[in-house]
PDB file of all heavy atoms in Angstrom:
ATOM      1  N   MET A 846     -17.373 -11.263 -14.952  1.00  0.00           N
ATOM      2  CA  MET A 846     -16.690 -12.551 -14.832  1.00  0.00           C
ATOM      3  C   MET A 846     -15.170 -12.390 -14.869  1.00  0.00           C
ATOM      4  O   MET A 846     -14.457 -13.106 -14.167  1.00  0.00           O
ATOM      5  CB  MET A 846     -17.173 -13.511 -15.919  1.00  0.00           C
ATOM      6  CG  MET A 846     -18.573 -14.018 -15.645  1.00  0.00           C
ATOM      7  SD  MET A 846     -19.098 -15.425 -16.632  1.00  0.00           S
ATOM      8  CE  MET A 846     -19.123 -14.762 -18.263  1.00  0.00           C
ATOM      9  N   GLY A 850     -12.962 -13.234 -11.688  1.00  0.00           N
ATOM     10  CA  GLY A 850     -12.144 -14.404 -11.975  1.00  0.00           C
ATOM     11  C   GLY A 850     -10.666 -14.079 -12.045  1.00  0.00           C
ATOM     12  O   GLY A 850      -9.976 -13.978 -11.028  1.00  0.00           O
ATOM     13  N   MET A 862      -6.167  -3.036 -18.493  1.00  0.00           N
ATOM     14  CA  MET A 862      -6.710  -3.719 -19.670  1.00  0.00           C
ATOM     15  C   MET A 862      -7.681  -2.794 -20.402  1.00  0.00           C
ATOM     16  O   MET A 862      -7.656  -2.691 -21.625  1.00  0.00           O
ATOM     17  CB  MET A 862      -7.428  -5.014 -19.268  1.00  0.00           C
ATOM     18  CG  MET A 862      -8.070  -5.729 -20.440  1.00  0.00           C
ATOM     19  SD  MET A 862      -9.232  -7.014 -19.987  1.00  0.00           S
ATOM     20  CE  MET A 862     -10.495  -6.099 -19.126  1.00  0.00           C
ATOM     21  N   PHE A 876      -8.274   4.567 -38.639  1.00  0.00           N
ATOM     22  CA  PHE A 876      -7.939   4.033 -39.958  1.00  0.00           C
ATOM     23  C   PHE A 876      -9.119   3.339 -40.642  1.00  0.00           C
ATOM     24  O   PHE A 876      -9.129   3.213 -41.852  1.00  0.00           O
ATOM     25  CB  PHE A 876      -6.758   3.057 -39.853  1.00  0.00           C
ATOM     26  CG  PHE A 876      -5.493   3.728 -39.430  1.00  0.00           C
ATOM     27  CD1 PHE A 876      -5.004   3.564 -38.147  1.00  0.00           C
ATOM     28  CD2 PHE A 876      -4.794   4.546 -40.307  1.00  0.00           C
ATOM     29  CE1 PHE A 876      -3.834   4.190 -37.750  1.00  0.00           C
ATOM     30  CE2 PHE A 876      -3.625   5.186 -39.917  1.00  0.00           C
ATOM     31  CZ  PHE A 876      -3.149   4.999 -38.631  1.00  0.00           C
ATOM     32  N   LEU A 926     -24.221 -13.497 -40.358  1.00  0.00           N
ATOM     33  CA  LEU A 926     -25.547 -14.016 -40.673  1.00  0.00           C
ATOM     34  C   LEU A 926     -26.599 -12.902 -40.671  1.00  0.00           C
ATOM     35  O   LEU A 926     -27.502 -12.898 -41.507  1.00  0.00           O
ATOM     36  CB  LEU A 926     -25.921 -15.106 -39.660  1.00  0.00           C
ATOM     37  CG  LEU A 926     -27.125 -15.967 -39.962  1.00  0.00           C
ATOM     38  CD1 LEU A 926     -26.849 -16.831 -41.180  1.00  0.00           C
ATOM     39  CD2 LEU A 926     -27.441 -16.841 -38.761  1.00  0.00           C
ATOM     40  N   LEU A 967      -1.489   3.476 -10.637  1.00  0.00           N
ATOM     41  CA  LEU A 967      -2.756   2.732 -10.682  1.00  0.00           C
ATOM     42  C   LEU A 967      -2.821   1.709  -9.555  1.00  0.00           C
ATOM     43  O   LEU A 967      -3.866   1.538  -8.929  1.00  0.00           O
ATOM     44  CB  LEU A 967      -2.931   2.031 -12.027  1.00  0.00           C
ATOM     45  CG  LEU A 967      -3.383   2.879 -13.206  1.00  0.00           C
ATOM     46  CD1 LEU A 967      -3.451   2.041 -14.466  1.00  0.00           C
ATOM     47  CD2 LEU A 967      -4.716   3.527 -12.925  1.00  0.00           C
ATOM     48  N   GLU A 973      -5.873  -2.944  -3.241  1.00  0.00           N
ATOM     49  CA  GLU A 973      -5.985  -2.885  -1.793  1.00  0.00           C
ATOM     50  C   GLU A 973      -4.864  -3.626  -1.098  1.00  0.00           C
ATOM     51  O   GLU A 973      -4.810  -3.673   0.113  1.00  0.00           O
ATOM     52  CB  GLU A 973      -7.339  -3.467  -1.362  1.00  0.00           C
ATOM     53  CG  GLU A 973      -8.498  -2.684  -1.910  1.00  0.00           C
ATOM     54  CD  GLU A 973      -9.823  -3.363  -1.652  1.00  0.00           C
ATOM     55  OE1 GLU A 973      -9.842  -4.382  -0.937  1.00  0.00           O
ATOM     56  OE2 GLU A 973     -10.816  -2.888  -2.181  1.00  0.00           O
ATOM     57  N   ARG A 997      -7.746 -38.157  19.164  1.00  0.00           N
ATOM     58  CA  ARG A 997      -6.621 -38.761  19.880  1.00  0.00           C
ATOM     59  C   ARG A 997      -5.988 -39.809  18.999  1.00  0.00           C
ATOM     60  O   ARG A 997      -6.659 -40.486  18.232  1.00  0.00           O
ATOM     61  CB  ARG A 997      -7.114 -39.397  21.176  1.00  0.00           C
ATOM     62  CG  ARG A 997      -7.647 -38.365  22.134  1.00  0.00           C
ATOM     63  CD  ARG A 997      -7.987 -39.027  23.465  1.00  0.00           C
ATOM     64  NE  ARG A 997      -8.498 -38.028  24.370  1.00  0.00           N
ATOM     65  CZ  ARG A 997      -9.767 -37.888  24.683  1.00  0.00           C
ATOM     66  NH1 ARG A 997     -10.664 -38.694  24.167  1.00  0.00           N
ATOM     67  NH2 ARG A 997     -10.149 -36.962  25.516  1.00  0.00           N
ATOM     68  N   PRO A1016      -2.942 -88.225  35.055  1.00  0.00           N
ATOM     69  CA  PRO A1016      -3.006 -89.550  35.648  1.00  0.00           C
ATOM     70  C   PRO A1016      -2.015 -90.519  35.050  1.00  0.00           C
ATOM     71  O   PRO A1016      -1.666 -91.504  35.626  1.00  0.00           O
ATOM     72  CB  PRO A1016      -4.422 -90.004  35.411  1.00  0.00           C
ATOM     73  CG  PRO A1016      -4.974 -89.133  34.345  1.00  0.00           C
ATOM     74  CD  PRO A1016      -4.145 -87.881  34.340  1.00  0.00           C
TER      75      PRO A1016
END
Side-chain angles (χ1 to χ4, degrees):
M846 287 194 295
M862 177 194 63
F876 294 106
L926 192 67
L967 282 178
E973 298 172 7
R997 295 186 180 104

